């Protein structure tokens, strides 16, 4: 009898774990509502990306309002900028072609600054200095776009995954700015 009970318990536990793994992850209502409001206020906001990036961040469950989610978006921006900087470093180590080297060098510097802009925006939001936060987010957006311009000037295509990180950084700067504008 003890073996049957143990097997039943083990089977129930296994089924619960499988159900948890296979169940779709739902985005918190506060994240979804805030992303939709941000998109309504700024047509450049990609709602799906907003919900995906903010909803999957470890701090999003504690952020129940626009201020908290603006801080989360800024942290997501820091993470994306760090990924982009790491990718630039990997591209440089891979001995890129001569035309790509100056663009990579410029982007390496820019993405360090982009990460700092997002971090400073987080601090400004935390200190209720929303116009200063918005300015830092605008700087992050501009510097990310300068990385794109460096590759265009060199006449080379932005390599993957740097291109994806760049698109994400641009979008996160827009999202964070739109959410910051929602703060009352």
């Amino acid at each position: 009898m003890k073996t049957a009970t143990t097997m039943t318990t083990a089977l129930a536990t296994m089924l619960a774990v499988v159900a948890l793994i296979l169940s779709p992850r739902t985005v918190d209502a506060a994240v979804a509502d805030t992303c939709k409001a941000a998109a309504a206020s700024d047509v450049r906001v990609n709602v799906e990306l907003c919900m995906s990036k903010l909803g999957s961040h470890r701090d999003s469950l504690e952020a129940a309002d626009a201020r908290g989610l603006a801080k989360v978006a800024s942290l997501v921006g820091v993470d994306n900028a760090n990924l982009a900087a790491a990718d630039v470093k990997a591209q440089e180590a891979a001995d890129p072609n001569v035309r790509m080297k100056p663009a990579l060098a410029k982007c390496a510097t820019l993405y360090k600054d982009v990460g700092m802009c997002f971090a400073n925006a987080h601090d400004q939001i935390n200190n209720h200095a929303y116009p200063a936060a918005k300015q830092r987010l605008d700087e992050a957006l501009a510097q990310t776009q300068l990385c794109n311009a460096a590759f265009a000037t060199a006449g080379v295509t932005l390599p993957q995954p740097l291109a994806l990180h760049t698109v994400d950084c641009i979008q996160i700067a827009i999202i964070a700015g739109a959410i910051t504008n929602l703060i009352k």
Side-chain angles (χ1 to χ4, degrees), residues 52-114:
S52 170
K53 294 289 186 177
L54 272 57
S56 64
H57 194 275
R58 65 188 172 277
D59 294 340
S60 67
L61 295 177
E62 298 170 14
D65 60 1
R67 182 174 174 268
L69 289 171
K71 291 188 328 185
V72 169
S74 296
L75 293 175
V76 169
V78 170
D79 292 343
N80 280 337
N82 288 340
L83 288 172
D87 188 55
V88 168
K89 193 173 191 177
Q91 294 282 337
E92 287 177 317
D95 195 28
N97 71 44
V98 172
R99 289 178 30 208
M100 193 178 288
K101 284 183 181 187
L104 286 171
K106 178 136 179 104
C107 287
T109 301
L110 287 168
Y111 272 110
K112 288 177 188 172
D113 291 342
V114 169

Side-chain angles (χ1 to χ4, degrees), residues 12-27:
T13 302
M14 221 168 62
L15 289 174
V17 169
V18 168
L20 183 63
I21 291 170
L22 296 178
S23 68
R25 189 174 194 282
T26 58
V27 175

Side-chain angles (χ1 to χ4, degrees), residues 8-182:
T8 303
T9 303
L11 180 60
T13 302
M14 221 168 62
L15 289 174
V17 169
V18 168
L20 183 63
I21 291 170
L22 296 178
S23 68
R25 189 174 194 282
T26 58
V27 175
D28 182 71
V31 172
D33 291 346
T34 302
C35 288
K36 289 174 187 172
S41 71
D42 187 335
V43 296
R44 300 173 300 162
V45 171
N46 178 323
V47 176
E48 290 79 22
L49 183 73
C50 179
M51 289 190 299
S52 170
K53 294 289 186 177
L54 272 57
S56 64
H57 194 275
R58 65 188 172 277
D59 294 340
S60 67
L61 295 177
E62 298 170 14
D65 60 1
R67 182 174 174 268
L69 289 171
K71 291 188 328 185
V72 169
S74 296
L75 293 175
V76 169
V78 170
D79 292 343
N80 280 337
N82 288 340
L83 288 172
D87 188 55
V88 168
K89 193 173 191 177
Q91 294 282 337
E92 287 177 317
D95 195 28
N97 71 44
V98 172
R99 289 178 30 208
M100 193 178 288
K101 284 183 181 187
L104 286 171
K106 178 136 179 104
C107 287
T109 301
L110 287 168
Y111 272 110
K112 288 177 188 172
D113 291 342
V114 169
M116 290 303 297
C117 286
F118 278 118
N120 289 334
H122 177 275
D123 292 344
Q124 296 295 339
I125 294 165
N126 199 43
N127 292 326
H128 303 277
Y130 308 121
K134 186 74 169 74
Q135 182 180 358
R136 299 303 289 168
L137 294 167
D138 289 343
E139 289 172 21
L141 176 62
Q143 290 179 352
T144 302
Q145 291 169 330
L146 287 174
C147 178
N148 280 347
F151 277 89
T153 300
V156 292
T157 304
L158 202 62
Q160 287 294 351
L162 180 58
L164 179 60
H165 297 315
T166 298
V167 168
D168 283 353
C169 277
I170 289 170
Q171 189 56 217
I172 292 301
I174 292 168
I175 290 167
I179 293 173
T180 300
N181 286 337
L182 297 175

